[in-house]
Amino acid sequence: MKSVVAFSHQLLQDAVIPGDIVIDATAGNGNDTIFLSQLVGENGQVLAFDIQDQAIAATNKKLTEHAIHNTKIIQDSHEHVAAYLDTTDQISGAIFNLGYLPGSDKTVITHGASTIKALNSMLAFLRKRGVIVLVIYHGHKGGTEEKETILNYAKALDQQSYNVLQYGFINQRNHPPFIVAIDKK
Ligand code: SAH
């Protein structure tokens, strides 16, 4: 069975093709940014969001190391994603890694309300068969609230328009992360 991170990548890989526009909603250390930039190739584009200096610096460094030029790093909240897309743009994939940046300030966390705003906005740009993947880390203070908010939102999405998947290991200790993925029909 694939780990949560490996499965998140599998979902993106199945939906994204070279030339696409995709979103890393929480750049963090930049690992998913690099992964996405390789999936879309030189004719595609990645928009990578983060609000925290440390994450922006780490992601910039990774892009330089990998000589990547198809990625725009945006220091802004992902809920403002629409401001960085043209109204006719379509995205084929997006990923959120929720929670706090490991090794940094544990008080800078993602929050349910802004995550839902970002999701709502991205769903409007998501093309048919595109996927939004949320890796939900919830063991920290504030994590349970965000987890509940997202599960309630995701469960209520119309099944005529979306497939919504939950993936995770139910016998692991200490609040293991799990995936919620939204596929547009
Ligand atoms: N918990 C994950 C990593 C999450 S990193 C793990 O253990 O691997 C989450 C990132 O989201 C952080 O870098 C944080 O700065 C960023 N972030 C928090 N709120 C945000 C927002 N509203 N918009 C964009 N990025 C945000």
Side-chain angles (χ1 to χ4, degrees):
M1 285 181 276
K2 286 201 155 85
S3 71
V4 160
V5 171
F7 191 62
S8 72
H9 285 186
Q10 180 71 58
L11 289 166
L12 291 166
Q13 206 166 335
D14 290 346
V16 175
I17 57 170
D20 284 351
I21 304 173
V22 294
I23 293 167
D24 187 347
T26 53
N29 287 319
N31 296 318
D32 287 344
T33 311
I34 301 294
F35 176 74
L36 287 172
S37 76
Q38 288 163 348
L39 281 186
V40 299
E42 57 185 19
N43 296 322
Q45 196 182 29
V46 184
L47 302 184
F49 289 84
D50 210 292
I51 51 172
Q52 201 173 169
D53 292 346
Q54 189 180 326
I56 297 293
T59 304
N60 255 318
K61 186 160 174 274
K62 282 233 168 75
L63 291 183
T64 307
E65 281 165 10
H66 287 78
I68 282 169
H69 304 292
N70 62 356
T71 298
K72 215 188 268 179
I73 299 181
I74 300 166
Q75 189 161 14
D76 192 358
S77 174
H78 41 226
E79 76 209 87
H80 302 134
V81 59
Y84 301 92
L85 290 166
D86 288 333
T87 47
T88 54
D89 281 343
Q90 290 206 304
I91 61 171
S92 62
I95 184 157
F96 292 74
N97 280 284
L98 303 180
Y100 63 90
L101 181 64
S104 96
D105 186 352
K106 278 198 190 182
T107 63
V108 181
I109 57 169
T110 52
H111 293 276
S114 43
T115 302
I116 299 297
K117 276 191 195 158
L119 279 174
N120 260 329
S121 194
M122 287 179 201
L123 285 178
F125 288 96
L126 193 64
R127 79 160 177 234
K128 225 172 146 181
R129 296 270 76 106
V131 71
I132 298 180
V133 181
L134 298 124
V135 184
I136 305 183
Y137 295 81
H138 55 99
H140 58 285
K141 192 168 180 292
T144 305
E145 290 80 353
E146 183 172 34
K147 176 186 86 169
E148 294 300 332
T149 303
I150 291 165
L151 284 175
N152 288 334
Y153 172 85
K155 281 180 195 168
L157 286 170
D158 181 6
Q159 66 170 8
Q160 309 269 38
S161 307
Y162 302 101
N163 292 308
V164 184
L165 167 97
Q166 186 172 346
Y167 178 93
F169 296 93
I170 61 174
N171 67 332
Q172 287 178 357
R173 268 172 268 174
N174 300 329
H175 313 286
F178 65 94
I179 288 173
V180 168
I182 304 167
D183 162 69
K184 194 168 197 163
K185 286 188 172 179

